[in-house]
Amino acid sequence: SGAWVTPFILDEYDASIMFLGYENVWRCDNVNGPSWQIQWEKISDFTTGSKMRVIEQSPANPNILFAANYGDRLFRTENAYDNNANFVELTSYLPANAGINDIECHPEDENVLYISHNFKIWKSEDKGLTWEDISGTLPSVAFTSIAFYGRSHDGLYLSSDIGVYYKDAFMDDWMMFSSGLPVDASIQEIEIFYDPDSISNDVIRAGTYGRGMWESG
C-alpha cells in the first residue's frame, strides 16, 4: 500500500513508463498497454517502513530519479531503468531533519535540483550533496509544490498554504503571484502547460484544497 496521496510520475520522455512510490519505488514499462500485459518491477530495496512522499525524475538525465519518504529520508539513483536500481541515501546531507514536500529537477542541468524542506526552499548544484537556502524573505509556511518554468531564466513557481510565489534569475527576492486566487487558498500543486506553438499561450495551473482549479497565462 502507498501513502494517502501515493506519488506517481510518467517518464519524462516515454509516457508508457510510470514510476510509483509505495514503501519502495516501482516501475512499469508498458502502463499504456492492455491490463493483462501490465507488469510492475520493484526497483528499490528500502526497508525503512515508511511510505514514499514524493518521487522526481530528471528531465536532463532521465536515468536520475529522486525519492523522499515520510521518514524524512532522501534517496537518489542514476540507473532508474534497471530492475535493480542502485539507490544512494542522501539524508545525512539534508540541511535539516524535516520532511520534503516536493522535489524539482532542473530541465537542462542534471546536477541541479530544488526541494521544499523545513518551511524553506533549497537548491543543490551537485545532485543533493550540498544545499543553499534560496528562501529569501519567503514566509515560514509549508511549500507544497515547485514548478520550474523552462522558458524563463531559472524561473521558479512555488505553491503554499497561502498562495503562489515566483522568482527568476533577474530578481533579488520572491514575489507573490496570487492575483485572482481565492484569499488564503491552500494551493496543493502547481503544473505548467507548454504550448507547442506559442510561448504566449503557456499557462500555469494551480490545484487548491477545496477551492477548485485555477490557471494563469
Side-chain angles (χ1 to χ4, degrees):
S1 63
W4 177 255
V5 179
T6 299
F8 66 91
I9 55 173
L10 290 176
D11 185 89
E12 288 285 343
Y13 299 102
D14 186 347
S16 66
I17 299 175
M18 178 181 283
F19 296 93
L20 180 67
Y22 288 136
E23 181 179 335
N24 277 278
V25 180
W26 296 71
R27 190 192 69 240
C28 177
D29 294 332
N30 61 338
V31 74
N32 294 330
S35 59
W36 62 87
Q37 293 182 0
I38 293 177
Q39 295 183 345
W40 290 89
E41 294 285 345
K42 187 176 75 167
I43 65 171
S44 69
D45 192 25
F46 305 138
T47 58
T48 64
S50 182
K51 307 294 175 57
M52 286 296 149
R53 188 169 190 166
V54 57
I55 51 178
E56 169 72 2
Q57 184 183 31
S58 169
N61 181 354
N63 278 292
I64 297 176
L65 187 79
F66 292 90
N69 67 21
Y70 280 91
D72 302 338
R73 298 173 72 171
L74 176 64
F75 303 89
R76 182 194 72 224
T77 183
E78 298 191 43
N79 57 337
Y81 296 117
D82 290 354
N83 289 344
N84 294 300
N86 179 30
F87 279 88
V88 176
E89 183 163 1
L90 304 172
T91 308
S92 62
Y93 302 106
L94 289 173
N97 183 21
I100 295 175
N101 287 334
D102 198 22
I103 305 170
E104 180 76 346
C105 291
H106 195 287
E108 298 175 352
D109 189 338
E110 67 178 63
N111 297 296
V112 176
L113 70 148
Y114 307 85
I115 60 172
S116 167
H117 175 67
N118 193 36
F119 302 105
K120 294 180 180 291
I121 303 299
W122 303 83
K123 176 182 179 181
S124 174
E125 296 183 340
D126 52 12
K127 301 177 184 176
L129 297 180
T130 59
W131 297 92
E132 174 191 2
D133 184 353
I134 60 170
S135 305
T137 59
L138 286 170
S140 182
V141 298
F143 293 99
T144 54
S145 180
I146 308 171
F148 189 104
Y149 183 38
R151 290 175 171 173
S152 66
H153 295 279
D154 289 344
L156 289 174
Y157 291 92
L158 311 175
S159 65
S160 74
D161 288 340
I162 59 174
V164 177
Y165 291 84
Y166 175 77
K167 183 181 182 299
D168 61 33
F170 298 120
M171 300 168 60
D172 294 328
D173 208 347
W174 300 86
M175 60 172 281
M176 197 78 173
F177 191 83
S178 297
S179 177
L181 286 172
V183 177
D184 293 334
S186 177
I187 313 298
Q188 297 298 296
E189 186 168 358
I190 48 176
E191 296 288 346
I192 295 174
F193 166 74
Y194 294 90
D195 188 278
D197 299 319
S198 173
I199 187 174
S200 62
N201 293 327
D202 291 351
V203 296
I204 181 171
R205 295 190 172 105
T208 71
Y209 185 80
R211 302 297 295 274
M213 182 176 290
W214 301 73
E215 74 175 20
S216 176

